[in-house]
Amino acid sequence: MENILNEAIQNYKGMSEKTTIYFIIDESIKKTVVADLDKLEVYDGKTVDNADCVCKISSNLFKKIWYENYKPGMKEIFSGELKTNNPEILQNFLKACGK
């Protein structure tokens, strides 16, 4: 997961407004991502009370999305492999990282 987040930082092209995303990966990895207009920062744990987007995801699905440009659908949502309160922000985040 660290490799993916490092790639995200290196490839980040910016979002239209400052956005915070709280990732819970495999229930054990917790990261806060702050996507600003011109930089991306990643912090361990939950560093904000109310993130713009919360994403619970399996590491296998996250890798598949990142490395294979996979687009998750209802199957992943119904299985619980992906849960989010704002799929639009996740899509924008991926685009801002060149995905």
Side-chain angles (χ1 to χ4, degrees):
M1 298 317 307
E2 293 298 322
N3 288 341
I4 289 174
L5 295 173
N6 286 334
E7 285 180 29
I9 291 169
Q10 291 172 359
N11 297 326
Y12 187 68
K13 294 172 180 47
M15 291 181 66
S16 60
E17 60 184 328
K18 185 175 181 177
T19 305
T20 56
I21 305 169
Y22 179 55
F23 283 102
I24 303 164
I25 304 161
D26 290 338
E27 297 293 333
S28 59
I29 301 169
K30 298 176 181 174
K31 301 283 186 180
T32 300
V33 174
V34 179
D36 214 333
L37 302 178
D38 59 351
K39 67 181 174 178
L40 186 71
E41 297 175 303
V42 178
Y43 302 96
D44 288 330
K46 187 176 182 182
T47 62
V48 295
D49 288 331
N50 295 308
D52 299 304
C53 177
V54 177
C55 178
K56 292 176 87 172
I57 189 168
S58 72
S59 59
N60 289 336
L61 181 57
F62 200 50
K63 289 174 188 173
K64 193 173 181 180
I65 291 167
W66 192 262
Y67 292 118
E68 300 173 25
N69 295 318
Y70 179 75
K71 304 293 184 215
M74 297 309 289
K75 179 180 102 175
E76 289 81 12
I77 292 169
F78 286 135
S79 71
E81 210 176 352
L82 171 64
K83 295 178 185 177
T84 184
N85 65 338
N86 198 324
E88 184 178 344
I89 285 179
L90 289 179
Q91 290 174 341
N92 292 339
F93 170 72
L94 288 171
K95 286 179 189 173
C97 294
K99 297 292 174 182

